[in-house]
Amino acid sequence: HTHHFLSPTSSSVLPLSLESLSVNHVFALALLVCSAIVVKLLVMRRRGIRSMEAFPGPPAHWLIGHVKEFRQDGHDLEKIMKWSGQYPFAFPLWFGPSLSILNIHHPSYVKTLLTTTEPKDDYAYKFFIPWLGDGLLVSTGQKWFRHRRLLTPGFHYDVLKPYVKLVSDSTKVMLDKWEVYGKSGESFELFKHVSLMTLDSIMKCAFSCNSNCQTDSGTNPYIQAVYDLCHLVNVRFRVFPYHSKAIFHLSPHGYKFRKAARIAHNHTAEVIRKRKEVLKIEEEQGIVKNKRYLDFLDILLSARDEHQQGLSDEDIRAEVDTFMFEGHDTTASGISWIFYNLACNPEHQEKCREEILQVLDGKDTVDWEDLNKIPYTTMCIKESLRLCPPVPGISRKLTKPLTFFDGRTVPEGRPIFQFVPHTKQTSLFDPLRFLPENVAERSPHAFVPFSAGPRNCIGQNFAMNEMKVAVALTLKKYRLIKDPQHIPKMIPQVVLRSLNGIHIKIKPVENDL
């Protein structure tokens, strides 16, 4: 019997040895694959470190880099400010073993980067493409150049002029809704109100749509979709495995992204569909366009290049998606932070109010001519944009090596991120920094809220006008008061938001004498 159990042909022994052999094989294979991946990551890491040799920066984990440092808890920007103080000019941040982005924060470095025609960095911006298509924000090369040229007439001051009244109307709807807070004196969250106002404005101005989005009840689905999309683009950038299309697609975040993108696309598709219908009826009935002015959508649909070629349907949708988002979310951020900063600085708020009341002289609407007559208010707007930039950074990818004024060079293929920080010494709200004589002493690249160079913001005049109108009418009607119970926690999520909202209290101006 003993012999039988020891026999190599024993049927009970053979499967066991095969099983252990296959387990060992699988284990050895898995070990080999893991080792190969680790070796590859280490090689990529070493190559990355070599390319950033000239730029010391904060210590990073070999695999996940600085990802864990950014907790999205309202302190991320402080961390970047701190590092900006420790590493003058620039420092690298790592988002995985091999993806390092050089953060630049000195005017001379910013100038070197922004005066080039380098394309947008495809790491950060490619995650926008499923949502915004190949529109002006993300397109590159000849396509970007052609679109920029075709769309520039849409931002001529003759086109922008009639928008001032439309923005005034939208602002007044918002301020009427605020009467309840003016009476009760209770604190309320600004960003959602201002987002609806700027969406209402871009719909009226650029697309001649009276959306009633400010007075409709419930959460606006498009605004919620934009909020979700910004959050998910941010998550995708920070979670290294999500850089893979397949992994992101299969994840719950990927599902949520597609759902939100569908809502955003349906919103813009409906705007285009309605306009095409109107144009078709006008054409059939031979109606001459009797609208007072051309809007952005007219210009998009009728734009022709030197070969008489217009924009394709896909191009039009991408630009409408881009401008619908860029035209309301960035200005909503800008206006909300301006209101917050004015609430925190009542003496500057009072100076703005005096100037505004004098210029408006009893009118309840801002006119185009008034916009250049409020210099102190304009300086306060710029100071808020400096402290709380609605777009906290921009990035480029190098197609050739770039050498800075101090001789340090970044090799081609590397992404560079230009962050818009301020140091502790400059964290005080001081609009006098923008007096002409003070501006003249600084590099023009020390303050670039709308970027600079060939790819600067095409809509910056529209944005500045909208901010001026909103601030003027708001300060005419209400005194903005800081709420010490709710201090906002800044968080960059494509645009600068607050983790816990932006809260203020208000008091009607005529009741507080």
Side-chain angles (χ1 to χ4, degrees), residues 74-367:
H75 297 292
D76 292 353
L77 292 182
E78 290 164 26
K79 216 162 259 179
I80 291 189
M81 308 285 185
K82 192 183 93 180
W83 288 333
S84 300
Q86 288 173 335
Y87 305 98
F89 304 120
F91 59 89
L93 285 178
W94 294 83
F95 294 90
S98 60
L99 172 56
S100 69
I101 295 178
L102 185 67
N103 265 268
I104 64 172
H105 54 86
H106 186 278
S108 301
Y109 269 46
V110 172
K111 182 182 179 181
T112 305
L113 180 69
L114 294 184
T115 48
T116 69
T117 51
E118 293 293 41
K120 298 279 179 90
D121 149 44
D122 51 11
Y123 277 113
Y125 290 93
K126 74 176 174 192
F127 302 143
F128 284 103
I129 292 174
W131 166 23
L132 300 178
D134 211 3
L136 215 53
L137 179 71
V138 290
S139 58
T140 57
Q142 277 308 110
K143 180 170 189 174
W144 168 81
F145 185 74
R146 177 173 178 259
H147 281 213
R148 175 85 185 208
R149 215 178 53 224
L150 289 176
L151 299 189
T152 297
F155 295 91
H156 188 274
Y157 72 90
D158 281 339
V159 175
L160 298 182
K161 248 183 198 175
Y163 292 174
V164 174
K165 182 183 179 321
L166 299 176
V167 173
S168 285
D169 293 343
S170 297
T171 305
K172 280 186 273 188
V173 172
M174 177 180 79
L175 298 178
D176 287 346
K177 283 166 65 186
W178 287 8
E179 280 175 9
V180 58
Y181 306 115
K183 285 194 180 87
S184 70
E186 66 180 290
S187 169
F188 67 102
E189 203 283 317
L190 274 175
F191 209 110
K192 59 173 186 277
H193 284 277
V194 179
S195 290
L196 283 170
M197 187 279 283
T198 57
L199 179 62
D200 194 15
S201 294
I202 197 77
M203 291 283 281
K204 282 178 186 158
C205 297
F207 306 107
S208 300
C209 269
N210 287 311
S211 67
N212 302 320
C213 65
Q214 293 198 76
T215 47
D216 287 346
S217 58
T219 307
N220 181 283
Y222 175 73
I223 283 187
Q224 186 57 47
V226 166
Y227 180 85
D228 291 342
L229 289 163
C230 286
H231 170 67
L232 292 163
V233 165
N234 199 40
V235 167
R236 190 173 179 190
F237 182 74
R238 289 185 304 112
V239 178
F240 185 60
Y242 280 177
H243 291 198
S244 150
K245 236 183 199 168
I247 292 173
F248 185 67
H249 187 88
L250 295 169
S251 72
H253 284 119
Y255 172 77
K256 199 175 174 191
F257 182 92
R258 290 192 298 282
K259 196 175 158 192
R262 244 193 328 273
I263 292 167
H265 290 157
N266 290 343
H267 172 81
T268 49
E270 184 62 8
V271 168
I272 297 170
R273 188 192 64 74
K274 278 183 179 165
R275 174 59 56 88
K276 285 191 161 173
E277 216 169 76
V278 168
L279 290 176
K280 194 169 169 239
I281 292 166
E282 283 181 353
E283 201 179 330
E284 281 169 3
Q285 298 177 358
I287 300 168
V288 178
K289 191 176 254 73
N290 59 359
K291 240 192 311 183
R292 285 192 324 282
Y293 63 90
L294 282 178
D295 66 13
F296 177 68
L297 192 50
D298 287 320
I299 286 157
L300 265 184
L301 292 167
S302 61
R304 296 288 178 270
D305 62 16
E306 62 277 21
H307 307 296
Q308 291 308 301
Q309 289 295 301
L311 296 169
S312 69
D313 283 356
E314 193 187 338
D315 287 343
I316 288 168
R317 201 191 80 178
E319 298 302 0
V320 172
D321 281 324
T322 297
F323 282 88
M324 191 76 76
F325 157 59
E326 287 277 5
H328 95 273
D329 210 30
T330 50
T331 52
S333 170
I335 292 166
S336 300
W337 288 109
I338 291 161
F339 287 167
Y340 174 72
N341 281 315
L342 289 173
C344 294
N345 295 277
E347 68 290 2
H348 294 300
Q349 184 189 151
E350 199 42 57
K351 282 186 179 169
C352 293
R353 185 175 291 106
E354 283 167 16
E355 174 182 76
I356 288 158
L357 291 174
Q358 196 179 345
V359 169
L360 291 183
D361 195 22
K363 292 186 303 183
D364 68 343
T365 297
V366 179
D367 294 320

